[in-house]
Amino acid sequence: MTVVGWIVLGLLAGVIAKVLLPGRDPGGLIGTTLIGIAGAFTGGWLSARFLDRPISNEFFDGATWLAAIGGSLVLLIGYRILFGHSRSR
């Protein structure tokens, strides 16, 4: 899969992570989208590095999607922990 494919996957993974973890994010839609992209790259790298799961060249591979969504969730939770209280309600 190309870098553009990972970016699109990251955008969709960020949206799915946001649906699974609702609430106000300090960065809004743009921040959540960027976290999704970074989460897709991070999840894919962690999956390939530590789980001996090679990165698939197919966009519709289930394990790739799970790694991207999992990476997005982890980064979104970390982002909320670090910056979640900086915005007034």
Side-chain angles (χ1 to χ4, degrees), residues 18-58:
K18 179 68 175 163
V19 168
L20 293 175
L21 198 63
R24 292 179 64 168
D25 291 321
L29 181 64
I30 302 292
T32 303
T33 303
L34 293 175
I35 287 172
I37 294 169
F41 281 105
T42 303
W45 178 79
L46 288 173
S47 175
R49 178 80 173 149
F50 296 110
L51 300 177
D52 289 332
R53 171 85 177 135
I55 297 173
S56 175
N57 288 331
E58 296 183 25

